[in-house]
Amino acid sequence: MNLAIGILKEAQEWLTPVFDKETQDKVSEMMASSPKELKESFYKNLEFGTGGMRGVMGVGNNRINKYTLGKSTQGLSNYLYKVFPNQKLKAVIAYDCRHNSDTLAKTVADVFSANGIQVYLFSSLRPTPELSFALKYLNCQCGIVLTASHNPPEYNGYKVYWEDGGQIVPPQDAEIIKAIEDLKYDQIKFEANEDLIEYIDTEIDQAFVKSSVQNASFNTSKEAKDDLNIVFTSLHGTSITVVPDTLALAGYKNVHIVEEQRVPNGDFPTVKSPNPEEPEALTMALALAEKTNADIVIGTDPDCDRLGVAVRDNQGKMILLNGNQSMILMTAFLLEQWKKAGKINGKQFIGSTIVSTPMIMKLASAYDVAYKSGLTGFKWIAKMIKDFPELEFIGGGEESFGYMVGDSVRDKDAVAASLLICEVAAQAKANNSSVYQALLQHYVDFGFYKEHLISITKKGIDGLTEINAMMVNLRENPLREINNQKVVKVEDYKSSLSLNLLNNESEIINMPKADVLIYYTEDGSVICARPSGTEPKIKFYISVNEELDTIENFKGIEDILNERIKNISTSMQL
């Protein structure tokens, strides 16, 4: 069956009485006058990526709507009964500020309840990390959050969490997907049992805030907290419901909130993208920082799992930290606090991902803790806690502005991380230093690692084809030299092979398969190519490094590393 016939067949199914009239009318309209939209809406089923299932809202099996989410929830319900026989099943549901998130969350609750599953549904929008916390707090078998993180306003999404509080991982993800794909749309049970739906709010909020303060507070003096001047923006998202309360309970009173971005709004009217990875997103917060002479700026994405941080450099200018830098600062601080408390005994670990800075491994070695690396996505860091029960998890992060402190939340958590970076800043300032100065000292102590990310956007079915072709080309025409430096090792996570080009020996990569290629060059540079699992992008991660003997030589070495990154990009035609 060719693609056009397959699309038409899928679309015609949505004209049957299984679907409501509004849906049928929209499909008929697309079939009559919008062939491109029809193609994009029906050419494939929505898939689970690194951050769950995300897509544009609309009709069709490649769109987020009540039927695709209903089918996912029905399949998940069937799977829950299979995995947890003879148990009282419980699920908890949260949602963010996006359009239709509240109604889609109620649809998910309806389907769970129609299947006899007790549902705890947040009465209004909440951060994603609170969902992970609530799942364990309420002893549920699974949790769902309706969110598309920092994607554009037309997107929404569906993330599935398991009883440990982490997102689903193999083999469960494939088993759940099969349970969903085995269903037909007319098998979805939409008729709610309202007696099984309980709305939750204050009790969970208070427990979550208290837990966040306990996990991310480290004996900072009242004077140091009072002296720290903070600017915070929720970027129209969910963090406004929790982060200010968390900072207040921890004793931080000097917090200035960007009022224009305080109110949750799925249109994100004051930013091009509500993504703290993008410098533009923090423009208003930086302006407020100048007005209030703030020491630190914190901005979170719509579902409050990522945070962007800005601090003052040695000239007093506000600069944005990247995700690797904030991860290094928070991890080094945690390790030092654990060391001071005498809690490091060789049975601890920190975690990160294969595309994050190699500098994190230097930290682990220096503090005599184990280092665990996983694929991109925090579900893999959360899985490490299950996989290594004999080791105590201290903290972990990834380059995409996510961090997790301890074990009460098993996903990236901008609530605890916001407090933790304030602890770093307050203690540094109290010691006549700064966050920026601490970062430079880490470069001296552990090596100056500098990273750069290049994202190339390719939307739609044609874009997916282009991205796949780029990865095929890299595999069929392997790079032997980058920026006049020999490639000494290539890791292909799709074939699970690591090839040493110096001796032509290969090793098996002991991780799940993924469409990722990583090149290592003779000067220590690392370049990774990876299609995004949540956005229509292909990403190239570049990491370079040099020794830094003194802070005074920082600028000169930084110029060298910037030039190296530029030359690598040019040589790869990025």
Side-chain angles (χ1 to χ4, degrees):
M1 185 187 298
N2 66 37
L3 182 61
I5 294 173
I7 289 169
L8 192 59
K9 186 172 183 291
E10 291 284 353
Q12 285 171 338
E13 182 184 353
W14 285 60
L15 296 176
T16 65
V18 171
F19 301 89
D20 60 39
K21 186 176 185 305
E22 183 181 355
T23 297
Q24 294 180 50
D25 289 346
K26 179 60 179 173
V27 174
S28 295
E29 181 184 323
M30 283 195 292
M31 293 175 78
S33 58
S34 303
K36 188 175 187 300
E37 186 182 358
L38 185 76
K39 181 180 179 182
E40 295 289 350
S41 299
F42 287 97
Y43 80 92
K44 67 180 180 71
N45 291 330
L46 275 179
E47 298 171 347
F48 282 86
T50 54
M53 187 169 68
R54 291 186 204 171
V56 174
M57 288 178 279
V59 301
N61 51 293
N62 189 38
R63 294 287 185 253
I64 293 287
N65 52 66
K66 66 177 286 188
Y67 298 102
T68 53
L69 297 194
K71 187 177 179 183
S72 293
T73 308
Q74 183 64 54
L76 180 56
S77 298
N78 296 346
Y79 182 76
L80 284 166
Y81 275 105
K82 179 181 176 182
V83 175
F84 300 104
N86 305 316
Q87 291 189 37
K88 177 177 170 55
L89 296 178
K90 297 187 290 184
V92 58
I93 303 169
Y95 58 92
D96 68 3
C97 59
R98 289 180 176 272
H99 299 304
N100 305 313
S101 278
D102 53 352
T103 55
L104 289 170
K106 181 57 168 66
T107 296
V108 172
D110 290 348
V111 175
F112 273 137
S113 69
N115 283 276
I117 297 171
Q118 173 68 51
V119 180
Y120 299 99
L121 175 61
F122 276 99
S123 60
S124 59
L125 76 175
R126 292 296 190 279
T128 289
E130 187 169 354
L131 181 281
S132 174
F133 173 84
L135 200 161
K136 292 200 290 180
Y137 183 85
L138 295 167
N139 295 310
C140 296
Q141 286 90 356
C142 81
I144 303 291
V145 62
L146 281 295
T147 178
S149 189
H150 56 274
N151 283 55
E154 65 270 21
Y155 279 76
N156 214 318
Y158 181 93
K159 292 170 72 171
V160 182
Y161 291 76
W162 213 236
E163 59 180 341
D164 67 317
Q167 291 184 58
I168 55 169
V169 293
Q172 288 169 331
D173 54 356
E175 292 169 356
I176 291 170
I177 290 167
K178 184 178 186 307
I180 295 167
E181 290 178 344
D182 285 346
L183 288 171
K184 297 185 184 302
Y185 285 104
D186 61 7
Q187 295 176 282
I188 304 168
K189 299 176 183 177
F190 281 116
E191 295 300 320
N193 180 348
E194 297 292 347
D195 292 339
L196 290 177
I197 300 176
E198 179 180 336
Y199 290 89
I200 55 174
D201 38 49
T202 307
E203 178 191 343
I204 307 298
D205 294 341
Q206 291 175 346
F208 177 55
V209 168
K210 182 179 178 182
S211 173
S212 299
V213 172
Q214 288 174 341
N215 283 323
S217 295
F218 293 91
N219 302 312
T220 303
S221 70
K222 180 181 183 301
E223 293 75 20
K225 292 176 181 178
D226 289 345
D227 194 38
L228 188 69
N229 194 352
I230 305 163
V231 163
F232 170 72
T233 177
S234 57
L235 295 178
H236 304 290
T238 60
S239 62
I240 197 66
T241 64
V242 172
V243 170
D245 290 344
T246 301
L247 294 177
L249 185 63
Y252 289 92
K253 300 175 182 176
N254 204 2
V255 180
H256 307 274
I257 296 174
V258 179
E259 294 296 334
E260 299 92 332
Q261 297 174 330
R262 176 194 281 266
V263 177
N265 187 330
D267 287 324
F268 312 113
T270 64
V271 292
K272 289 180 181 176
S273 169
N275 183 358
E277 294 180 79
E278 303 289 342
E280 182 272 338
L282 296 182
T283 299
M284 296 181 80
L286 291 170
L288 183 58
E290 294 307 321
K291 186 177 178 181
T292 59
N293 194 30
D295 300 301
I296 187 168
V297 167
I298 299 170
T300 56
D301 67 346
D303 67 328
C304 189
D305 58 2
R306 301 172 193 240
L307 78 163
V309 178
V311 296
R312 296 197 182 275
D313 66 13
N314 289 343
Q315 286 70 50
K317 179 186 176 184
M318 271 286 172
I319 62 159
L320 295 166
L321 301 177
N322 64 40
N324 284 304
Q325 291 171 324
S326 57
M327 174 178 68
I328 290 297
L329 283 160
M330 288 188 280
T331 304
F333 180 83
L334 282 175
L335 289 168
E336 188 62 24
Q337 296 301 316
W338 278 59
K339 181 181 178 181
K340 284 180 182 177
K343 292 166 61 179
I344 293 179
N345 59 9
K347 295 181 179 180
Q348 289 74 37
F349 81 98
I350 59 175
S352 190
T353 67
I354 57 174
V355 299
S356 300
T357 177
M359 186 176 173
I360 195 75
M361 290 183 276
K362 294 290 191 74
L363 284 179
S365 177
Y367 282 89
D368 194 27
V369 300
Y371 171 72
K372 305 296 179 184
S373 180
L375 297 176
T376 307
F378 251 77
K379 62 186 180 184
W380 302 109
I381 297 177
K383 185 175 182 291
M384 295 169 190
I385 300 173
K386 284 198 301 184
D387 290 347
F388 301 98
E390 72 280 7
L391 297 179
E392 194 173 5
F393 178 68
I394 295 175
E398 62 179 359
E399 56 77 36
S400 61
F401 289 63
Y403 202 80
M404 181 166 69
V405 186
D407 187 24
S408 68
V409 169
R410 291 199 185 180
D411 201 354
K412 50 185 176 287
D413 176 7
V415 179
S418 292
L419 174 55
L420 180 61
I421 197 65
C422 286
E423 293 279 284
V424 175
Q427 291 194 22
K429 188 176 181 182
N431 291 323
N432 297 313
S433 182
S434 67
V435 174
Y436 185 76
Q437 194 72 8
L439 179 64
L440 298 190
Q441 187 59 52
H442 293 328
Y443 288 151
V444 172
D445 294 340
F446 306 110
F448 186 1
Y449 287 76
K450 189 173 181 66
E451 281 74 33
H452 182 65
L453 171 64
I454 298 173
S455 291
I456 302 171
T457 300
K458 302 283 186 180
K459 291 187 177 182
I461 185 172
D462 294 335
L464 181 63
T465 301
E466 287 185 66
I467 288 171
N468 290 337
M470 292 171 77
M471 294 301 294
V472 167
N473 182 57
L474 284 170
R475 288 188 169 91
E476 292 182 348
N477 301 284
L479 298 172
R480 298 293 179 179
E481 190 176 275
I482 300 174
N483 187 29
N484 298 317
Q485 296 287 317
K486 288 182 181 177
V487 175
V488 296
K489 185 171 73 170
V490 181
E491 292 176 345
D492 187 343
Y493 286 77
K494 195 168 187 178
S495 66
S496 298
L497 285 178
S498 173
L499 178 62
N500 185 324
L501 297 180
L502 297 179
N503 57 21
N504 212 33
E505 292 182 357
S506 62
E507 295 180 359
I508 299 295
I509 299 172
N510 189 25
M511 284 190 196
K513 292 184 183 295
D515 194 7
V516 180
L517 283 168
I518 303 181
Y519 303 91
Y520 299 82
T521 66
E522 58 187 338
D523 66 352
S525 300
V526 183
I527 301 95
C528 169
R530 168 187 166 264
S532 172
T534 56
E535 300 172 279
K537 294 178 178 179
I538 183 169
K539 296 184 175 184
F540 293 87
Y541 306 79
I542 301 171
S543 177
V544 296
N545 68 89
E546 283 285 345
E547 292 299 312
L548 180 63
D549 54 354
T550 66
I551 288 176
E552 288 71 29
N553 290 334
F554 169 76
K555 186 65 174 66
I557 299 299
E558 184 179 44
D559 289 343
I560 291 172
L561 295 181
N562 283 337
E563 185 67 18
R564 192 175 300 166
I565 288 170
K566 179 184 173 183
N567 291 339
I568 288 172
S569 175
T570 300
S571 71
M572 295 184 68
Q573 299 180 327
L574 301 178

